[in-house]
Amino acid sequence: MTAVTVRAPAKINLHLGVGAPGADGFHPLTTVYQAIGLCDDVTAGPSLDWDLAVTVPAWMDAAGIPLLGENIVDRAAALLAAHHDLAMTGEVVITKAIPVAGGLAGGSADAAAALVALDRLWAAATSDDDLLALAALLGSDVPFALVGGTALGTGRGEVVTPIDDRGTWWWVLVPSDEGLSTPKVYRHFDKLFPDAPATPPPADALLDAVASEDPLRLAELLHNDLQLPAIDLRPDLGRLIDRGQNEGALRGIVSGSGPTCVFLCESADHARDLAGALGHHADGREHPAVLVANGPVAGAHLVEYV
Ligand code: C5P
């Protein structure tokens, strides 16, 4: 074998209900994830040492990406190697398409893809249960990046239950030129909502809307408890959402902890039209890219094995 390539998707949260933080500092979540067709690839080939490189598209600033030794892929490799008592070896390349620190779980996608790629490279035959448990150690969103599709997330987001989703949902994504730190947004949530309920708001109505396959119904029920704190920290996001809705989006929301904003559309054509209308100056501020993606798509999966 010379290399395996594993692809893993970005996620958006159709519903992100956040409760008051527990003793461990994490917030209990009731969330509905959707994997969308904006993916990072992780290619792993044999080597006597460990090496990690990252390539980015022209529009993406590579400066924010943690380098060799500090990337979540290093942690994923170290965990998997320790789990099997193997040496951590490989020549690994991450090919990014998912914005960094964007609220789209790009790092989690890389970690999930690395687990699957290195499992193959090392012929480790890790069970699905073990892979999910290792993923949960790497981050709250990593198990979902393995599972993909549309899924309910509970616990701190790491307990994933797949949901039957027959719809094809079209999204326009507007990343920001400046990332937003997830812990910072959660801390701001705590400041704005000191009396948040212990149990996060449920997702039942949203799940009914997903089952309806009707984007107009889904648009009404999209919900993100981190949106207010994110906009309070970054008022430009509020202006961007207004602009997208004025340009005809069914609804715009902040994705996860932001700063990427996502706009639900009725169809592929509608999404392309909206992306064109928003252009790169979506709110009077320059945006690095305006992207179109649909969901749900598969979780981390092998795309090349040579
Ligand atoms: O699990 P992950 O590493 O993605 O979490 C990053 C940070 O986001 C945590 O350190 C914590 O500050 C915050 N977080 C949280 N509650 C969650 C998930 C994440 O407070 N359910």
PDB file of all heavy atoms in Angstrom, residues 25-29 75 108 138-141 155-157 182-183 186, ligand 1:
ATOM      1  N   GLY A  25     -17.249  21.699  33.621  1.00  0.00           N
ATOM      2  CA  GLY A  25     -17.117  22.912  32.800  1.00  0.00           C
ATOM      3  C   GLY A  25     -17.780  22.784  31.445  1.00  0.00           C
ATOM      4  O   GLY A  25     -18.011  23.788  30.766  1.00  0.00           O
ATOM      5  N   PHE A  26     -18.108  21.558  31.033  1.00  0.00           N
ATOM      6  CA  PHE A  26     -18.777  21.371  29.742  1.00  0.00           C
ATOM      7  C   PHE A  26     -20.270  21.633  29.873  1.00  0.00           C
ATOM      8  O   PHE A  26     -20.857  21.444  30.936  1.00  0.00           O
ATOM      9  CB  PHE A  26     -18.557  19.948  29.222  1.00  0.00           C
ATOM     10  CG  PHE A  26     -17.227  19.760  28.562  1.00  0.00           C
ATOM     11  CD1 PHE A  26     -16.111  19.397  29.308  1.00  0.00           C
ATOM     12  CD2 PHE A  26     -17.065  19.961  27.201  1.00  0.00           C
ATOM     13  CE1 PHE A  26     -14.868  19.235  28.714  1.00  0.00           C
ATOM     14  CE2 PHE A  26     -15.838  19.804  26.590  1.00  0.00           C
ATOM     15  CZ  PHE A  26     -14.733  19.443  27.348  1.00  0.00           C
ATOM     16  N   HIS A  27     -20.874  22.055  28.779  1.00  0.00           N
ATOM     17  CA  HIS A  27     -22.298  22.355  28.750  1.00  0.00           C
ATOM     18  C   HIS A  27     -23.069  21.149  28.219  1.00  0.00           C
ATOM     19  O   HIS A  27     -22.694  20.614  27.169  1.00  0.00           O
ATOM     20  CB  HIS A  27     -22.555  23.569  27.864  1.00  0.00           C
ATOM     21  CG  HIS A  27     -21.922  24.824  28.383  1.00  0.00           C
ATOM     22  ND1 HIS A  27     -20.564  25.023  28.363  1.00  0.00           N
ATOM     23  CD2 HIS A  27     -22.466  25.925  28.954  1.00  0.00           C
ATOM     24  CE1 HIS A  27     -20.297  26.206  28.898  1.00  0.00           C
ATOM     25  NE2 HIS A  27     -21.419  26.779  29.266  1.00  0.00           N
ATOM     26  N   PRO A  28     -24.142  20.743  28.905  1.00  0.00           N
ATOM     27  CA  PRO A  28     -24.966  19.675  28.346  1.00  0.00           C
ATOM     28  C   PRO A  28     -25.664  20.194  27.085  1.00  0.00           C
ATOM     29  O   PRO A  28     -26.156  21.332  27.061  1.00  0.00           O
ATOM     30  CB  PRO A  28     -25.975  19.377  29.455  1.00  0.00           C
ATOM     31  CG  PRO A  28     -26.024  20.623  30.292  1.00  0.00           C
ATOM     32  CD  PRO A  28     -24.683  21.277  30.168  1.00  0.00           C
ATOM     33  N   LEU A  29     -25.684  19.379  26.057  1.00  0.00           N
ATOM     34  CA  LEU A  29     -26.269  19.811  24.778  1.00  0.00           C
ATOM     35  C   LEU A  29     -27.404  18.886  24.364  1.00  0.00           C
ATOM     36  O   LEU A  29     -27.368  17.688  24.623  1.00  0.00           O
ATOM     37  CB  LEU A  29     -25.223  19.773  23.662  1.00  0.00           C
ATOM     38  CG  LEU A  29     -23.934  20.573  23.825  1.00  0.00           C
ATOM     39  CD1 LEU A  29     -23.086  20.433  22.549  1.00  0.00           C
ATOM     40  CD2 LEU A  29     -24.229  22.043  24.096  1.00  0.00           C
ATOM     41  N   ARG A  75      -2.810  14.370  17.913  1.00  0.00           N
ATOM     42  CA  ARG A  75      -3.428  13.775  19.109  1.00  0.00           C
ATOM     43  C   ARG A  75      -4.198  12.513  18.742  1.00  0.00           C
ATOM     44  O   ARG A  75      -4.204  11.524  19.476  1.00  0.00           O
ATOM     45  CB  ARG A  75      -4.353  14.788  19.787  1.00  0.00           C
ATOM     46  CG  ARG A  75      -3.591  15.890  20.535  1.00  0.00           C
ATOM     47  CD  ARG A  75      -4.406  16.424  21.697  1.00  0.00           C
ATOM     48  NE  ARG A  75      -5.554  17.192  21.223  1.00  0.00           N
ATOM     49  CZ  ARG A  75      -6.810  16.976  21.597  1.00  0.00           C
ATOM     50  NH1 ARG A  75      -7.109  16.023  22.456  1.00  0.00           N
ATOM     51  NH2 ARG A  75      -7.772  17.742  21.112  1.00  0.00           N
ATOM     52  N   SER A 108     -12.412  18.664  13.957  1.00  0.00           N
ATOM     53  CA  SER A 108     -13.016  17.377  14.318  1.00  0.00           C
ATOM     54  C   SER A 108     -13.086  16.459  13.113  1.00  0.00           C
ATOM     55  O   SER A 108     -12.860  15.246  13.232  1.00  0.00           O
ATOM     56  CB  SER A 108     -14.428  17.601  14.876  1.00  0.00           C
ATOM     57  OG  SER A 108     -14.372  18.441  16.006  1.00  0.00           O
ATOM     58  N   LEU A 138     -11.172  12.972  21.799  1.00  0.00           N
ATOM     59  CA  LEU A 138     -10.515  14.035  21.015  1.00  0.00           C
ATOM     60  C   LEU A 138     -11.324  15.324  20.966  1.00  0.00           C
ATOM     61  O   LEU A 138     -10.768  16.408  20.781  1.00  0.00           O
ATOM     62  CB  LEU A 138     -10.249  13.531  19.593  1.00  0.00           C
ATOM     63  CG  LEU A 138      -9.154  12.464  19.508  1.00  0.00           C
ATOM     64  CD1 LEU A 138      -9.207  11.726  18.181  1.00  0.00           C
ATOM     65  CD2 LEU A 138      -7.787  13.119  19.700  1.00  0.00           C
ATOM     66  N   GLY A 139     -12.642  15.220  21.108  1.00  0.00           N
ATOM     67  CA  GLY A 139     -13.475  16.428  21.069  1.00  0.00           C
ATOM     68  C   GLY A 139     -14.935  16.064  20.966  1.00  0.00           C
ATOM     69  O   GLY A 139     -15.285  14.982  20.478  1.00  0.00           O
ATOM     70  N   SER A 140     -15.792  16.974  21.408  1.00  0.00           N
ATOM     71  CA  SER A 140     -17.225  16.684  21.485  1.00  0.00           C
ATOM     72  C   SER A 140     -17.848  16.385  20.116  1.00  0.00           C
ATOM     73  O   SER A 140     -18.819  15.644  20.026  1.00  0.00           O
ATOM     74  CB  SER A 140     -17.948  17.881  22.107  1.00  0.00           C
ATOM     75  OG  SER A 140     -17.343  18.245  23.327  1.00  0.00           O
ATOM     76  N   ASP A 141     -17.296  16.986  19.052  1.00  0.00           N
ATOM     77  CA  ASP A 141     -17.881  16.836  17.713  1.00  0.00           C
ATOM     78  C   ASP A 141     -17.262  15.706  16.902  1.00  0.00           C
ATOM     79  O   ASP A 141     -17.712  15.431  15.787  1.00  0.00           O
ATOM     80  CB  ASP A 141     -17.651  18.112  16.886  1.00  0.00           C
ATOM     81  CG  ASP A 141     -18.362  19.312  17.445  1.00  0.00           C
ATOM     82  OD1 ASP A 141     -19.380  19.140  18.129  1.00  0.00           O
ATOM     83  OD2 ASP A 141     -17.893  20.438  17.174  1.00  0.00           O
ATOM     84  N   GLY A 155     -25.348  14.523  25.712  1.00  0.00           N
ATOM     85  CA  GLY A 155     -24.147  14.595  26.544  1.00  0.00           C
ATOM     86  C   GLY A 155     -23.519  15.962  26.314  1.00  0.00           C
ATOM     87  O   GLY A 155     -24.207  16.980  26.345  1.00  0.00           O
ATOM     88  N   ARG A 156     -22.220  16.000  26.036  1.00  0.00           N
ATOM     89  CA  ARG A 156     -21.627  17.276  25.620  1.00  0.00           C
ATOM     90  C   ARG A 156     -21.535  17.357  24.094  1.00  0.00           C
ATOM     91  O   ARG A 156     -20.807  18.170  23.541  1.00  0.00           O
ATOM     92  CB  ARG A 156     -20.263  17.482  26.282  1.00  0.00           C
ATOM     93  CG  ARG A 156     -19.279  16.375  26.039  1.00  0.00           C
ATOM     94  CD  ARG A 156     -17.959  16.588  26.768  1.00  0.00           C
ATOM     95  NE  ARG A 156     -17.111  15.415  26.686  1.00  0.00           N
ATOM     96  CZ  ARG A 156     -16.314  15.129  25.643  1.00  0.00           C
ATOM     97  NH1 ARG A 156     -16.232  15.953  24.619  1.00  0.00           N
ATOM     98  NH2 ARG A 156     -15.593  14.024  25.641  1.00  0.00           N
ATOM     99  N   GLY A 157     -22.311  16.487  23.430  1.00  0.00           N
ATOM    100  CA  GLY A 157     -22.361  16.455  21.970  1.00  0.00           C
ATOM    101  C   GLY A 157     -21.777  15.171  21.421  1.00  0.00           C
ATOM    102  O   GLY A 157     -21.928  14.857  20.238  1.00  0.00           O
ATOM    103  N   THR A 182     -14.240  28.664  20.323  1.00  0.00           N
ATOM    104  CA  THR A 182     -15.420  27.991  20.894  1.00  0.00           C
ATOM    105  C   THR A 182     -15.518  28.214  22.414  1.00  0.00           C
ATOM    106  O   THR A 182     -16.592  28.610  22.895  1.00  0.00           O
ATOM    107  CB  THR A 182     -15.400  26.487  20.549  1.00  0.00           C
ATOM    108  OG1 THR A 182     -15.417  26.369  19.123  1.00  0.00           O
ATOM    109  CG2 THR A 182     -16.579  25.741  21.126  1.00  0.00           C
ATOM    110  N   PRO A 183     -14.439  27.992  23.195  1.00  0.00           N
ATOM    111  CA  PRO A 183     -14.560  28.229  24.646  1.00  0.00           C
ATOM    112  C   PRO A 183     -14.972  29.667  24.962  1.00  0.00           C
ATOM    113  O   PRO A 183     -15.736  29.897  25.906  1.00  0.00           O
ATOM    114  CB  PRO A 183     -13.147  27.933  25.177  1.00  0.00           C
ATOM    115  CG  PRO A 183     -12.488  27.113  24.141  1.00  0.00           C
ATOM    116  CD  PRO A 183     -13.134  27.428  22.828  1.00  0.00           C
ATOM    117  N   TYR A 186     -18.722  29.945  24.508  1.00  0.00           N
ATOM    118  CA  TYR A 186     -19.418  29.294  25.628  1.00  0.00           C
ATOM    119  C   TYR A 186     -19.325  30.151  26.892  1.00  0.00           C
ATOM    120  O   TYR A 186     -20.288  30.273  27.652  1.00  0.00           O
ATOM    121  CB  TYR A 186     -18.848  27.894  25.895  1.00  0.00           C
ATOM    122  CG  TYR A 186     -19.495  26.809  25.062  1.00  0.00           C
ATOM    123  CD1 TYR A 186     -18.825  26.218  23.998  1.00  0.00           C
ATOM    124  CD2 TYR A 186     -20.773  26.354  25.341  1.00  0.00           C
ATOM    125  CE1 TYR A 186     -19.408  25.215  23.239  1.00  0.00           C
ATOM    126  CE2 TYR A 186     -21.373  25.354  24.600  1.00  0.00           C
ATOM    127  CZ  TYR A 186     -20.681  24.785  23.543  1.00  0.00           C
ATOM    128  OH  TYR A 186     -21.277  23.803  22.806  1.00  0.00           O
TER     129      TYR A 186
HETATM  130  O1  C5P B   1     -14.971  19.119  23.068  1.00  0.00           O
HETATM  131  P1  C5P B   1     -14.238  20.225  22.384  1.00  0.00           P
HETATM  132  O2  C5P B   1     -12.739  20.092  22.511  1.00  0.00           O
HETATM  133  O3  C5P B   1     -14.681  20.454  20.996  1.00  0.00           O
HETATM  134  O4  C5P B   1     -14.643  21.538  23.188  1.00  0.00           O
HETATM  135  C1  C5P B   1     -13.937  22.739  23.058  1.00  0.00           C
HETATM  136  C2  C5P B   1     -14.357  23.662  24.176  1.00  0.00           C
HETATM  137  O5  C5P B   1     -15.707  24.079  23.986  1.00  0.00           O
HETATM  138  C3  C5P B   1     -14.328  23.048  25.561  1.00  0.00           C
HETATM  139  O6  C5P B   1     -13.064  23.164  26.149  1.00  0.00           O
HETATM  140  C4  C5P B   1     -15.375  23.857  26.302  1.00  0.00           C
HETATM  141  O7  C5P B   1     -14.836  25.105  26.697  1.00  0.00           O
HETATM  142  C5  C5P B   1     -16.395  24.153  25.215  1.00  0.00           C
HETATM  143  N1  C5P B   1     -17.522  23.203  25.215  1.00  0.00           N
HETATM  144  C6  C5P B   1     -18.474  23.255  26.224  1.00  0.00           C
HETATM  145  N2  C5P B   1     -19.535  22.403  26.212  1.00  0.00           N
HETATM  146  C7  C5P B   1     -19.663  21.486  25.216  1.00  0.00           C
HETATM  147  C8  C5P B   1     -18.695  21.392  24.184  1.00  0.00           C
HETATM  148  C9  C5P B   1     -17.639  22.267  24.219  1.00  0.00           C
HETATM  149  O8  C5P B   1     -18.384  24.094  27.116  1.00  0.00           O
HETATM  150  N3  C5P B   1     -20.710  20.649  25.228  1.00  0.00           N
END
